[in-house]
Amino acid sequence: PIFITNTYTINLRENNLMNQRLLTVHATDADSSLNGNNRVTYSISNQTGNNFGIDEVSGTISIIQILDREQTNIYQLIIHASDNGSPRLQSVGSVTVIISLSDVNDNIPRFTSDLYQVSVNETAAPNTVIEVVTASDRDSTTSNQNIRYSITQPFANSFFKIDPVTGAIQLR
């Protein structure tokens, strides 16, 4: 069997559906159709993990597990084709399937500390910075890592303010 192309490239978003069909690879076999000698069977030869599956008859590649860009951003599969003749022959070449994942804002920001404890002198002037809180986000792209800080307790807002970009907490 011979594939009609050398490479397939797919771009998709992370956190996609399981059993989602990605694409169908195709190889042809010049053998006679007598006794099924020209029937082709497909397989993935280099997969680490169990993220993808291939229908042996149709060559359709599907996602078996949810893909996370923060773990792996590019997958490269090598697909082989075999004929059903006697003797059984493997494809002359193979086809490479490159799957690139784009980032989705799927991780929440996490503070670097679970508790911030601060002592404030009662004579401290307004606008005195009393603490700087920091958080990080595991998302891969900068646009999904932007963090904005705010104080959500109305009572606290009357005594403190926070810089939405730096996380600096000041007295009012």
Side-chain angles (χ1 to χ4, degrees):
I2 298 173
F3 284 96
I4 59 172
T5 187
N6 294 331
T7 306
Y8 292 90
T9 302
I10 304 170
N11 296 306
L12 61 125
R13 294 166 57 104
E14 68 175 328
N15 298 334
N16 38 341
L17 301 174
M18 291 191 326
N19 300 318
Q20 177 182 348
R21 292 181 177 149
L22 295 180
L23 72 108
T24 300
V25 296
H26 185 72
T28 57
D29 189 345
D31 285 340
S32 165
S33 62
L34 298 174
N35 301 324
N37 284 350
N38 69 341
R39 222 170 342 133
V40 176
T41 302
Y42 300 94
S43 62
I44 301 173
S45 68
N46 71 322
Q47 181 167 207
T48 56
N50 194 26
N51 296 312
F52 303 95
I54 189 164
D55 183 294
E56 292 181 344
V57 176
S58 70
T60 299
I61 299 170
S62 300
I63 298 169
I64 296 176
Q65 294 184 352
I66 294 174
L67 305 176
D68 184 2
R69 187 183 197 287
E70 285 74 39
Q71 292 179 1
T72 305
N73 61 347
I74 296 178
Y75 294 88
Q76 187 168 333
L77 306 176
I78 306 297
I79 310 299
H80 288 282
S82 302
D83 70 12
N84 289 308
S86 183
R88 190 172 186 155
L89 301 175
Q90 194 166 347
S91 61
V92 173
S94 59
V95 66
T96 301
V97 177
I98 299 169
I99 303 160
S100 299
L101 298 181
S102 60
D103 191 33
V104 172
N105 191 10
D106 60 340
N107 291 292
I108 61 172
R110 302 254 184 225
F111 283 97
T112 55
S113 178
D114 292 333
L115 176 66
Y116 292 88
Q117 211 164 8
V118 178
S119 295
V120 180
N121 187 326
E122 64 184 47
T123 61
N127 298 320
T128 299
V129 175
I130 59 168
E131 181 69 83
V132 177
V133 296
T134 57
S136 61
D137 189 316
R138 285 187 46 234
D139 281 311
S140 298
T141 56
T142 305
S143 62
N144 287 335
Q145 290 177 337
N146 290 337
I147 296 173
R148 303 283 295 171
Y149 299 94
S150 63
I151 297 174
T152 58
Q153 296 292 325
F155 177 74
N157 272 325
S158 51
F159 298 101
F160 307 102
K161 60 184 175 181
I162 190 166
D163 184 297
V165 176
T166 67
I169 300 173
Q170 298 174 301
L171 297 174
R172 284 202 181 269

